[in-house]
Amino acid sequence: MRPKHYIVNLVMLILVFVIGFSSLIGLRFYFEKQENTFDGILRNEQARYNIADGIIRHIITLESHYYKMAALAHVQEVERVYSDIQEEMRILRVLIDTIEHGGLLEMEMGVNLPDVQSAKEIIQYKHTPGAHSNVEVLELTPKLHFLNTKIDELVHSIKGINSSTESSQQKSEIADFLKGLPHYFAAMKESTARLVYASYKEMLHV
């Protein structure tokens, strides 16, 4: 009877070992999965933060182009700045679309290295329904569309100053347009700043 008793104890010991080892493996996989989940959320929020920061930088550049164009008189200079404005518009539309729907894009990021001011980085963002970005996108899109429709009017007015007897009226139209610009750009920067802040809070929460 004694050998049988030893066999039973050995089997029980093996069972305890298997159960304990399986539990450890299960816990390891669980925590690894949780770590990967949180790491993915953090990377996604970092991507949204970088995209929103890029939107602000391009809005500032776009604003400077508008004021620069209004101060120009030569047609060639106007057309050059007009081309720069269209390029900034294109970049902003891509960034806003990525915030709204998610996607993969290449962005220029600032770096603090000697003789290197920026570097390109591939950013992937996955839009989530709870990202609190839909309101900001809804505010940005129509304002960007308005500025895009007005740029042709501004170019037409600038070109007509030196070629028309009604230059005073066109100067007045340009002045009126410039008076409204700060409102639109300030509203766009405010909406984007909320995106940056929301991403920053989410990263702290994770």
Side-chain angles (χ1 to χ4, degrees):
M1 297 298 294
R2 183 170 295 180
K4 187 176 181 180
H5 179 70
Y6 288 151
I7 292 174
V8 172
N9 289 340
L10 181 61
V11 170
M12 292 296 295
L13 183 62
I14 292 173
L15 285 175
V16 170
F17 174 78
V18 170
I19 293 172
F21 184 75
S22 301
S23 299
L24 288 175
I25 294 296
L27 286 173
R28 179 183 175 184
F29 282 127
Y30 172 78
F31 285 116
E32 282 184 354
K33 183 179 179 181
Q34 290 296 105
E35 183 180 358
N36 291 334
T37 300
F38 286 123
D39 188 54
I41 294 172
L42 184 60
R43 284 200 305 268
N44 201 53
E45 286 302 329
Q46 181 67 54
R48 184 166 71 130
Y49 179 92
N50 290 337
I51 295 170
D53 182 66
I55 292 175
I56 288 182
R57 287 188 283 109
H58 285 286
I59 288 174
I60 293 171
T61 303
L62 181 66
E63 184 178 17
S64 68
H65 286 331
Y66 268 88
Y67 287 114
K68 185 189 299 182
M69 174 175 282
L72 296 175
H74 299 291
V75 175
Q76 290 183 343
E77 293 178 348
V78 170
E79 290 177 349
R80 178 179 57 79
V81 177
Y82 176 82
S83 177
D84 292 338
I85 287 175
Q86 292 302 318
E87 177 62 15
E88 290 297 325
M89 289 281 189
R90 183 193 68 79
I91 294 172
L92 281 168
R93 282 192 290 268
V94 170
L95 293 175
I96 292 171
D97 182 73
T98 305
I99 285 286
E100 187 175 11
H101 302 107
L104 188 71
L105 53 84
E106 186 179 70
M107 285 187 63
E108 195 171 88
M109 311 297 294
V111 294
N112 294 320
L113 293 174
D115 301 324
V116 180
Q117 295 181 347
S118 63
K120 290 186 177 180
E121 180 180 347
I122 302 297
I123 293 178
Q124 183 173 9
Y125 173 67
K126 182 180 179 181
H127 175 74
T128 53
H132 306 294
S133 57
N134 291 335
V135 174
E136 286 74 14
V137 170
L138 288 173
E139 292 177 354
L140 283 171
T141 303
K143 291 180 176 64
L144 189 65
H145 178 71
F146 170 81
L147 291 172
N148 192 37
T149 57
K150 286 294 182 179
I151 186 61
D152 290 327
E153 297 178 16
L154 180 61
V155 170
H156 177 74
S157 297
I158 293 172
K159 288 182 177 181
I161 288 178
N162 296 326
S163 61
S164 173
T165 56
E166 300 178 357
S167 61
S168 60
Q169 179 182 349
Q170 289 169 327
K171 287 180 180 179
S172 177
E173 291 174 358
I174 294 173
D176 291 339
F177 175 74
L178 292 177
K179 287 179 183 177
L181 276 184
H183 165 74
Y184 284 96
F185 281 109
M188 291 173 70
K189 284 183 277 191
E190 181 182 350
S191 298
T192 313
R194 290 201 299 269
L195 277 175
V196 173
Y197 180 67
S199 298
Y200 178 72
K201 280 206 313 181
E202 286 296 325
M203 285 190 289
L204 290 179
H205 177 70
V206 174

